[in-house]
Amino acid sequence: MHMLAMLLQDNQPSPEMIQKIMVAMMAIIPIIIIISIAVVMIPCWFILKKAGFSPWLCLLCLIPSLGTLVLLYVLAFAEWKVVPAPMAAYPPPYPPPPQPPYPPQA
């Protein structure tokens, strides 16, 4: 934060300060990119697996914007290989209550 404040001041930062800022950015930006890729790819993996497709199709998300768009079209217009859920049926009726015992006959 201190480096950003120094950069925003009126006087020009020294070349060493700029170099330190660039090294810090080059260390942080790849981490942010990996996290953002994981945020998109992990849900796509599970959606593809549940839809009956190969989960490896989520690697299309690595192609910026076009890959995700292609994946959405594949999911939207392809026939999903999922067995439909059975229709909810009524449970069988309860058995009738037991009959009271009859009195003994003579």
Side-chain angles (χ1 to χ4, degrees):
M1 192 59 114
H2 182 266
M3 287 186 207
L4 182 61
M6 291 291 290
L7 188 63
L8 294 176
Q9 286 182 351
D10 289 333
N11 56 356
Q12 294 295 324
S14 65
E16 293 84 23
M17 182 67 71
I18 293 175
Q19 185 179 9
K20 288 180 184 179
I21 292 171
M22 291 304 295
V23 168
M25 287 175 57
M26 290 179 77
I28 293 173
I29 289 176
I31 294 171
I32 293 172
I33 290 172
I34 289 172
I35 289 172
S36 62
I37 288 172
V39 164
V40 173
M41 284 184 69
I42 292 172
C44 286
W45 181 278
F46 285 105
I47 290 170
L48 287 166
K49 190 166 48 170
K50 287 181 182 181
F53 293 105
S54 172
W56 292 103
L57 278 174
C58 74
L59 292 176
L60 283 172
C61 294
L62 292 177
I63 303 169
S65 63
L66 179 65
T68 307
L69 185 66
V70 169
L71 183 61
L72 283 174
Y73 272 88
V74 167
L75 286 172
F77 296 112
E79 186 170 332
W80 289 22
K81 302 170 187 123
V82 179
V83 177
M87 296 293 291
Y90 292 108
Y94 289 111
Q99 298 293 327
Y102 292 108
Q105 293 182 2

